Amino acid sequence: MNVLNLLFGKPLATSEERGEQVGSLAGIPIFGLDALSSAAYGPEAALTLLIPLGLLGVDLIVPITTAILILLVIVYFSYRQTIGAYPQGGGSYTVATENLGAGAGLLAAAALMIDYILTAAVGISAGVGALISAVPSLQKHTLGLCLLILIILTIINLRGVHDTGVAFMIPTYLFLGTLLIIIVVGIFKALASDGHPTPVIAPPRLPPATAVVSLWLILKVFSSGCTAMTGVEAVSNGVRAFRDPTVKNARLTLSIIIALLIILLAGIAFLCRWYGIGATDPGAAGYQSVLSQLTDAVMGHGTFYYVTIGSILLVLSLSANTAFADFPRLTRSIAINDYLPHVFFVRGRRLLYSWGIAALVTLTGLLLILFGGVTDRLIPLYAIGAFLAFTLSQAGMVVHWFRNRALGWRLRAAVNAIGATATGITTLVVLVAKFVDGAWITALLVPSMIFLMVQVKRHYRSVDHDTTNPEPLSLHKIEPPLVVIPVDRWSRLSEKALRFALAISNDIIAVHVESGLGDQSICDEWEQKVSEPLRRAGLPVPQLVDLKSPYRYVLGPVLDFVLEQEKANPGRQIAVLVPELVVTHWWENLLHNQRANLLKLLLLVKGNQRVLVINIPWYLHGH
Amino acid sequence: MNVLNLLFGKPLATSEERGEQVGSLAGIPIFGLDALSSAAYGPEAALTLLIPLGLLGVDLIVPITTAILILLVIVYFSYRQTIGAYPQGGGSYTVATENLGAGAGLLAAAALMIDYILTAAVGISAGVGALISAVPSLQKHTLGLCLLILIILTIINLRGVHDTGVAFMIPTYLFLGTLLIIIVVGIFKALASDGHPTPVIAPPRLPPATAVVSLWLILKVFSSGCTAMTGVEAVSNGVRAFRDPTVKNARLTLSIIIALLIILLAGIAFLCRWYGIGATDPGAAGYQSVLSQLTDAVMGHGTFYYVTIGSILLVLSLSANTAFADFPRLTRSIAINDYLPHVFFVRGRRLLYSWGIAALVTLTGLLLILFGGVTDRLIPLYAIGAFLAFTLSQAGMVVHWFRNRALGWRLRAAVNAIGATATGITTLVVLVAKFVDGAWITALLVPSMIFLMVQVKRHYRSVDHDTTNPEPLSLHKIEPPLVVIPVDRWSRLSEKALRFALAISNDIIAVHVESGLGDQSICDEWEQKVSEPLRRAGLPVPQLVDLKSPYRYVLGPVLDFVLEQEKANPGRQIAVLVPELVVTHWWENLLHNQRANLLKLLLLVKGNQRVLVINIPWYLHGH
């Protein structure tokens, strides 16, 4: 327990729970981190696919970014409305379930679970990517560094999220500050040099073009670039955390976040074109992230560079952390509706949904290991989940307005319909464009997860049906059980068992298994030590049954006998008394056969409603 | 079960056990295999240590072999007498325990266990060594081949030893036949050429001498060579297996085995000197076993060569097999005296002591892996165990004669005393000479094993003391227990548990844990569904206790409550009824908390003599 306390903090009483409410400025790091940090991998993901086009690719980043920004603005207006309509927090799962039905809710649930796991995996791997750009010698430890960060995040999160607010603030503003400075300085230099600025440190030369531009390629680049939009739904999920006036504060926060994201994405795109910065081959030696090249080109390789890269690493790791906050809440909501195992809504010692965290860590770790911790390989799986959730959320909002028909519902429905259509089309584009590269994994996972969740629900429903008891206690035919005691020899254990049996029932059968290996019958001893004293006291004498076992099995004959008795006495309960030696040290168990435990297990597996097991422990050394 | 049957044969009934009795000729392969096969690695082990002496080393093999043969003859006469004195089978463990006491018996037990494990390991590794000599490309698979043979032997032995007699006969006689032909032909060629025969295929040139001869080296060579004597005790262990006249047949068999062994060892020594054959570096490329070189030199590299090597491989593997026959019997004898866990005398489905075989296989496999399957590295550990067992056996015989004082006992005691002295001195020589090379492992293992065996005995004795019951059944104060039922909500499970409780006792307490997470109290429902009907029927109403749990733990409060009740009711038994959901498929367990199982475990660990657990299973889908 002490190690647990040290690592994860002392257990918290239920009464220690408290709400924490934030204003719009404090809300930016908490809810904007995920969205803003996407700027660190979204443009890079797009540029990586443009490598084969050489210089032309770098030119193309501006129009493609423009398309993404238009989509972003549409989604922004859409989510503004969700915030107003669901001030208690409107995650895609809730909105889809309430408005589109359970099926759409499950689809959203599956999409979101995948999205959160990928948020964690991509955040960590992109952070490590930034680190590798600064310290290339760490390249060979990519996966190890990823897993290290995952472990650190796990420990922090198992301690609880009470104090993470402040921890978020500094790196987020550092990240924003450094990037904005780079963008402002870069644009200034570019304008001053008539669009041809001289880089402080020249980026690696762009490779010669090896492919020609095609619509297919543009779609793929757009799909990858869309990962820059992931995380914008965070504010609408957490409206409840804002200070009064809740909705207004939340909307203001969302607006600021989207505005900042637009500045970052547009700034990065323009600077890349002006400075001629393209992506380098990820996972290969000499890899340098786009933001690292950009910082070098605009600001040089000094202290500012390292502060920038450090803040990127921190922000990306912390953006993974938002998955730690959201995934367990999501699985809890799903589990409350019986679609996931109920452990997901059991609160751990620190008032957290520990099982949700455990599931997230396991799956994220698995993903990082499978893909070697390289962001570029994870990107194709990523956007699908996020955009599917966007689409379902917006579509749900459309239905919501149709049902509510409040003032101005038509306009609102139209805004959300545009959002749903735009994100829906994007989902399809991403699915098709990235199918071969990895989107097929997501496409397979979603229906499998839905199938599993439906099975889980079905199980819980059947358990509920089987165990719910509308009737009051029935007093019909309450009678003592028929007691069966397996007896090895006359010992203190068998005496204890027999005394207990005599206390609860008059129908007792002792069974003894003879394996024909020279063990003498216990009949005489039984007669003398058991039957005789009972007879003298005028009490009923238990029957002793000798079972033959030609193959030396002991448990089989006992089990068969119990089941026979169960058949022979319909409606009667059979209580099997299992005397068991309890040793003081675990290793002493090696010196005793585990027949008692095996018998208990067999009776449970092969038995039925009328067979009960009574465990009679015998503690060695009388403790 | 079907896979088991296919691999290991159908289970055998106890009544299917039968004795198999052999004559002296059939006895040679069965009891001589281990001893005779030692000729394949004993001389080689000695020659390996003589490599640094170059040509001089090969000359020295003859006098050293002579010393070993003298020791062998002494041991022969010693064991002849053991056969007469212990016609029911006189293994070292039995002889030492009976005549020298339990301490010496444990020493012999430890020595023999080590000896058998090394017999298996050395037999297998030397067999693979022969194979590698014939097919050098297999060298890199040494360990893999060793483990493969171990697995094959395990499967054969788990089927049972009924048919192994015939399987032994052919390879043993093939081995003897080919080696004797080589020796006769070799001696003939040597005599015909005046002691300078021309090899058909010249052996690898002996390396130049890099060391000078010393007493220390001679002692080490002698110690290694002594491994050629391992296995000669087999006949005296198994006298009972011989046909009438038992003792005469057994002695004749022993005589023939020893005579053959002498011929083999002497023959190999002389041929090595005449042909100038030394050992090659084992475990290194270009390794060729001494017998392989010898066969090449005398007979050439034709069919005869491959038949010889094949028979050596088979015989060595089968000599490992004798450990499979003897080790489980030994551990059984030790376990019957309570010095080893009792599983070692439980007979498996094929009437074998399966746990003994399992222990042997595990330890042999471990040894092979640790030493890379190279015979030469195992040899230093080997001889100690065997010679320690020889010594204790002979010393025991001396005491035996002193006690019996039958006709001619003085002479017999003298013979055994010479044997004991000679083998005792050899044990010391081997221990000292081989200490650094590995004998220290054996020297550490023996006392550790004795310590463990004494602890095991102590435990069994204390269990026996605690559980043996000389008294007849006490009828004093037999009363129904106080029943505690943990209740979650009113369900069919709780109804079943409550009905059972009402059937066996009038004192019932239901406990409900409130964790303050919004679960409503069950008081009202309890009153209406339980208390009310009972009151109406005029039956005692069980108490409902609400336990508060600020930290949301459920099991802790229940456990504490049970232990409190136990303290508050001295002398009373507390029966805890644990309702448990039994699912149809194992994976359904993932959907339910394992509280029932954890509670049972906690009650067992933290409970005491007066706390019992009654398991009330509820089978889903009413099966």
Side-chain angles (χ1 to χ4, degrees):
Chain A
M1 268 315 199
N2 286 330
V3 177
L4 278 183
N5 282 349
L6 198 69
L7 267 179
F8 306 124
K10 291 196 183 135
L12 290 175
T14 315
S15 57
E16 289 179 61
E17 187 167 37
R18 63 188 170 100
E20 211 176 352
Q21 301 219 303
V22 295
S24 53
L25 216 67
I28 293 172
I30 295 176
F31 295 102
L33 194 87
D34 189 10
L36 293 170
S37 66
S38 308
Y41 50 79
E44 164 121 23
L47 281 166
T48 302
L49 288 174
L50 290 169
I51 294 178
L53 296 186
L55 197 63
L56 175 63
V58 175
D59 286 343
L60 276 175
I61 193 66
V62 173
I64 289 170
T65 302
T66 310
I68 292 169
L69 292 183
I70 292 169
L71 189 58
L72 180 58
V73 171
I74 294 173
V75 170
Y76 160 68
F77 281 106
S78 230
Y79 268 115
R80 259 185 83 90
Q81 299 196 150
T82 310
I83 292 173
Y86 284 89
Q88 76 281 25
S92 301
Y93 176 61
T94 316
V95 176
T97 307
E98 281 190 16
N99 296 301
L100 304 174
L106 286 182
L107 188 58
L112 281 170
M113 281 193 269
I114 293 174
D115 182 38
Y116 288 141
I117 295 164
L118 279 157
T119 297
V122 168
I124 293 173
S125 70
V128 170
L131 184 63
I132 289 170
S133 302
V135 192
S137 61
L138 289 175
Q139 170 121 30
K140 57 182 174 294
H141 302 298
T142 306
L143 182 56
L145 287 168
C146 286
L147 296 179
L148 181 70
I149 292 180
L150 182 62
I151 291 168
I152 294 171
L153 285 176
T154 308
I155 293 175
I156 291 174
N157 277 281
L158 286 181
R159 290 190 70 99
V161 284
H162 283 300
D163 313 314
T164 44
V166 182
F168 277 39
M169 195 110 57
I170 299 166
T172 310
Y173 285 123
L174 205 60
F175 171 80
L176 284 173
T178 49
L179 280 196
L180 289 176
I181 289 172
I182 293 169
I183 289 170
V184 169
V185 172
I187 290 179
F188 177 80
K189 285 188 180 179
L191 294 180
S193 64
D194 230 4
H196 298 286
T198 319
V200 181
I201 290 172
R205 282 181 72 95
L206 292 167
T210 59
V212 290
V213 66
S214 67
L215 180 64
W216 179 243
L217 183 70
I218 298 289
L219 286 180
K220 287 179 79 168
V221 175
F222 173 74
S223 302
S224 282
C226 277
T227 53
M229 281 175 62
T230 54
V232 298
E233 77 287 0
V235 178
S236 72
N237 292 346
V239 187
R240 222 165 19 154
F242 284 91
R243 205 176 289 140
D244 268 339
T246 316
V247 171
K248 211 182 142 199
N249 274 326
R251 278 189 176 155
L252 182 58
T253 305
L254 180 65
S255 305
I256 298 173
I257 291 170
I258 298 291
L260 286 169
L261 185 56
I262 290 175
I263 294 172
L264 292 182
L265 293 178
I268 293 170
F270 277 105
L271 289 181
C272 281
R273 193 169 71 173
W274 283 330
Y275 281 92
I277 289 169
T280 52
D281 188 12
Y287 166 74
Q288 203 187 351
S289 76
V290 169
L291 286 187
S292 165
Q293 294 179 50
L294 203 58
T295 315
D296 266 351
V298 177
M299 310 295 292
H301 203 81
T303 313
F304 188 86
Y305 172 85
Y306 286 101
V307 171
T308 308
I309 297 295
S311 74
I312 292 174
L313 168 63
L314 267 179
V315 158
L316 284 169
S317 306
L318 289 176
S319 86
N321 196 70
T322 60
F324 277 90
D326 293 341
F327 186 86
R329 274 192 222 144
L330 173 68
T331 48
R332 170 180 169 272
S333 306
I334 304 173
I336 281 182
N337 292 337
D338 289 343
Y339 284 111
L340 278 181
H342 286 171
V343 284
F344 285 113
F345 64 76
V346 173
R347 290 205 164 186
R349 46 205 300 284
R350 293 280 293 178
L351 280 170
L352 295 158
Y353 305 107
S354 320
W355 284 92
I357 293 181
L360 176 68
V361 171
T362 310
L363 295 169
T364 305
L366 211 69
L367 215 57
L368 285 171
I369 292 169
L370 278 177
F371 290 85
V374 176
T375 314
D376 186 52
R377 299 180 196 151
L378 291 162
I379 291 288
L381 287 75
Y382 193 9
I384 297 251
F387 274 84
L388 195 51
F390 284 169
T391 310
L392 288 165
S393 167
Q394 310 309 329
M397 286 306 296
V398 175
V399 174
H400 172 84
W401 298 125
F402 265 86
R403 283 194 190 148
N404 271 37
R405 296 177 186 260
L407 189 69
W409 70 273
R410 276 168 219 277
L411 178 66
R412 289 177 176 164
V415 168
N416 280 127
I418 294 171
T421 313
T423 50
I425 291 172
T426 311
T427 310
L428 282 178
V429 168
V430 174
L431 181 64
V432 172
K434 294 289 176 183
F435 194 80
V436 180
D437 300 324
W440 62 271
I441 301 175
T442 311
L444 274 181
L445 267 180
V446 168
S448 320
M449 287 165 75
I450 293 176
F451 176 78
L452 271 182
M453 288 191 281
V454 169
Q455 295 304 313
V456 169
K457 172 88 166 192
R458 185 171 293 169
H459 174 80
Y460 279 125
R461 198 178 285 155
S462 105
V463 169
D464 205 49
H465 177 263
D466 263 25
T467 60
T468 298
N469 194 357
E471 300 296 317
L473 176 65
S474 154
L475 297 175
H476 173 69
K477 241 187 133 190
I478 290 188
E479 55 171 354
L482 169 64
V483 178
V484 175
I485 316 179
V487 176
D488 186 17
R489 58 183 186 115
W490 179 245
S491 66
R492 288 186 201 274
L493 274 82
S494 35
E495 186 183 19
K496 185 178 178 189
L498 196 57
R499 279 174 55 89
F500 186 81
L502 287 166
I504 64 166
S505 178
N506 288 327
D507 273 334
I508 304 170
I509 305 177
V511 289
H512 177 250
V513 178
E514 238 166 317
S515 62
L517 277 174
D519 41 356
Q520 65 199 63
S521 165
I522 62 160
C523 286
D524 295 347
E525 197 175 20
W526 189 262
E527 170 62 30
Q528 178 199 336
K529 296 241 170 99
V530 178
S531 307
E532 223 242 313
L534 282 171
R535 221 176 278 125
R536 226 170 16 210
L539 290 169
V541 178
Q543 197 187 336
L544 175 67
V545 176
D546 240 343
L547 300 173
K548 299 276 173 249
S549 173
Y551 291 96
R552 301 172 303 285
Y553 298 122
V554 175
L555 300 180
V558 172
L559 185 67
D560 291 345
F561 180 80
V562 169
L563 295 181
E564 265 165 39
Q565 291 297 317
E566 186 264 330
K567 272 214 194 77
N569 297 276
R572 190 83 188 269
Q573 288 198 309
I574 317 288
V576 184
L577 256 61
V578 181
E580 181 179 11
L581 215 58
V582 184
V583 296
T584 319
H585 310 288
W586 68 266
W587 53 265
E588 293 173 332
N589 277 316
L590 300 176
L591 303 181
H592 299 281
N593 59 53
Q594 298 302 311
R595 272 188 201 147
N597 284 322
L598 262 176
L599 183 58
K600 284 192 277 182
L601 190 68
L602 276 175
L603 285 169
L604 208 61
V605 172
K606 302 266 184 187
N608 58 41
Q609 298 287 33
R610 289 193 288 113
V611 178
L612 310 170
V613 171
I614 301 183
N615 200 48
I616 310 281
W618 180 271
Y619 291 82
L620 278 182
H621 321 306
H623 105 111
Chain B
M1 269 313 197
N2 285 330
V3 177
L4 279 182
N5 281 349
L6 197 71
L7 267 179
F8 305 124
K10 292 196 182 132
L12 290 174
T14 316
S15 57
E16 289 178 61
E17 185 168 38
R18 64 190 170 97
E20 212 176 352
Q21 300 220 302
V22 296
S24 53
L25 217 67
I28 293 172
I30 295 176
F31 295 103
L33 194 88
D34 189 10
L36 293 170
S37 66
S38 308
Y41 51 78
E44 164 122 21
L47 281 166
T48 303
L49 288 174
L50 289 169
I51 294 178
L53 295 186
L55 198 61
L56 175 62
V58 176
D59 286 343
L60 276 174
I61 195 66
V62 173
I64 288 171
T65 302
T66 310
I68 292 170
L69 292 183
I70 292 169
L71 188 60
L72 181 58
V73 171
I74 294 173
V75 170
Y76 162 66
F77 281 107
S78 228
Y79 269 115
R80 260 186 81 92
Q81 299 196 150
T82 309
I83 292 173
Y86 284 89
Q88 75 281 23
S92 301
Y93 176 61
T94 316
V95 175
T97 307
E98 280 190 14
N99 297 301
L100 303 174
L106 286 182
L107 190 56
L112 280 171
M113 281 192 271
I114 293 172
D115 183 37
Y116 288 141
I117 294 163
L118 280 156
T119 298
V122 169
I124 292 172
S125 70
V128 170
L131 183 63
I132 289 170
S133 303
V135 191
S137 60
L138 290 175
Q139 170 118 29
K140 57 181 173 296
H141 302 298
T142 307
L143 182 57
L145 286 167
C146 286
L147 296 178
L148 181 70
I149 292 179
L150 182 62
I151 290 167
I152 293 170
L153 285 175
T154 308
I155 293 174
I156 291 172
N157 277 281
L158 286 180
R159 290 190 71 98
V161 285
H162 283 298
D163 312 313
T164 45
V166 182
F168 277 40
M169 196 113 52
I170 299 166
T172 310
Y173 284 124
L174 204 62
F175 171 79
L176 285 173
T178 48
L179 279 197
L180 289 176
I181 288 172
I182 294 169
I183 290 170
V184 169
V185 172
I187 291 179
F188 178 80
K189 285 189 179 176
L191 294 180
S193 64
D194 233 3
H196 296 287
T198 320
V200 180
I201 292 172
R205 285 181 69 95
L206 290 167
T210 57
V212 291
V213 66
S214 67
L215 180 63
W216 180 242
L217 183 70
I218 298 288
L219 286 180
K220 287 180 80 170
V221 175
F222 172 76
S223 301
S224 282
C226 278
T227 53
M229 281 175 60
T230 53
V232 299
E233 76 288 358
V235 178
S236 73
N237 292 345
V239 187
R240 221 169 15 160
F242 284 91
R243 206 176 286 142
D244 269 339
T246 317
V247 171
K248 213 183 139 196
N249 273 329
R251 279 189 176 155
L252 183 57
T253 305
L254 180 65
S255 307
I256 298 172
I257 291 170
I258 299 291
L260 285 169
L261 185 56
I262 290 175
I263 293 171
L264 292 182
L265 293 178
I268 292 169
F270 276 106
L271 289 181
C272 280
R273 192 170 70 176
W274 283 331
Y275 281 92
I277 290 169
T280 53
D281 188 11
Y287 166 74
Q288 202 187 352
S289 78
V290 169
L291 286 187
S292 164
Q293 294 179 50
L294 203 59
T295 315
D296 266 351
V298 177
M299 310 296 290
H301 204 80
T303 313
F304 188 87
Y305 171 85
Y306 286 102
V307 172
T308 307
I309 297 296
S311 75
I312 292 174
L313 168 63
L314 267 178
V315 159
L316 284 169
S317 306
L318 290 175
S319 88
N321 197 70
T322 61
F324 277 90
D326 292 340
F327 186 85
R329 274 191 222 145
L330 173 68
T331 46
R332 171 180 170 270
S333 306
I334 303 172
I336 280 180
N337 292 336
D338 289 342
Y339 284 111
L340 278 181
H342 286 172
V343 283
F344 285 113
F345 64 76
V346 173
R347 291 204 164 188
R349 45 205 301 284
R350 293 281 293 178
L351 279 171
L352 295 158
Y353 305 108
S354 322
W355 284 92
I357 293 182
L360 175 68
V361 171
T362 309
L363 295 168
T364 306
L366 211 69
L367 215 58
L368 285 171
I369 292 169
L370 278 177
F371 291 86
V374 176
T375 315
D376 186 53
R377 300 179 195 151
L378 291 162
I379 291 286
L381 287 75
Y382 193 8
I384 299 251
F387 274 83
L388 194 53
F390 284 169
T391 311
L392 288 164
S393 168
Q394 310 308 328
M397 287 305 296
V398 176
V399 175
H400 173 83
W401 298 126
F402 265 85
R403 284 193 189 148
N404 270 37
R405 296 178 185 261
L407 188 68
W409 71 271
R410 277 168 218 274
L411 179 65
R412 287 176 178 162
V415 169
N416 281 127
I418 294 171
T421 313
T423 50
I425 291 171
T426 311
T427 309
L428 283 177
V429 168
V430 174
L431 181 63
V432 172
K434 294 288 176 182
F435 194 80
V436 180
D437 300 323
W440 63 272
I441 300 174
T442 312
L444 274 181
L445 267 181
V446 168
S448 320
M449 287 164 77
I450 293 175
F451 175 79
L452 270 182
M453 287 191 282
V454 170
Q455 294 304 313
V456 169
K457 173 87 166 193
R458 183 170 296 169
H459 174 81
Y460 279 125
R461 197 179 286 155
S462 103
V463 171
D464 206 49
H465 177 263
D466 262 25
T467 60
T468 299
N469 193 357
E471 300 296 318
L473 177 64
S474 154
L475 297 176
H476 174 69
K477 237 187 137 189
I478 289 187
E479 55 172 353
L482 169 65
V483 179
V484 175
I485 316 179
V487 176
D488 186 16
R489 58 182 184 116
W490 178 245
S491 67
R492 287 185 202 275
L493 274 80
S494 35
E495 186 182 23
K496 186 180 177 187
L498 196 58
R499 280 175 54 89
F500 186 81
L502 288 166
I504 65 167
S505 179
N506 289 328
D507 275 333
I508 304 170
I509 306 177
V511 289
H512 177 250
V513 177
E514 238 167 318
S515 62
L517 276 174
D519 42 354
Q520 65 200 65
S521 164
I522 62 160
C523 287
D524 295 346
E525 196 176 21
W526 187 262
E527 170 62 31
Q528 176 199 337
K529 296 241 170 100
V530 178
S531 307
E532 222 244 311
L534 282 170
R535 220 176 279 123
R536 225 171 17 211
L539 290 168
V541 178
Q543 200 187 335
L544 175 68
V545 176
D546 241 342
L547 300 174
K548 300 274 174 252
S549 173
Y551 291 95
R552 302 171 302 286
Y553 297 122
V554 175
L555 300 181
V558 172
L559 185 68
D560 292 344
F561 180 79
V562 169
L563 295 180
E564 264 166 38
Q565 292 298 317
E566 186 263 331
K567 274 216 192 76
N569 298 275
R572 190 84 188 270
Q573 289 198 306
I574 318 287
V576 183
L577 256 61
V578 181
E580 181 178 10
L581 215 58
V582 183
V583 296
T584 319
H585 310 288
W586 68 265
W587 54 265
E588 292 173 332
N589 278 315
L590 299 176
L591 304 181
H592 298 281
N593 59 53
Q594 299 302 310
R595 272 188 201 147
N597 285 321
L598 263 175
L599 182 60
K600 285 192 278 183
L601 189 69
L602 276 175
L603 285 168
L604 207 62
V605 171
K606 303 267 184 185
N608 60 39
Q609 298 288 32
R610 289 193 287 114
V611 178
L612 309 171
V613 170
I614 301 183
N615 201 48
I616 311 280
W618 180 270
Y619 290 82
L620 278 181
H621 320 308
H623 107 111

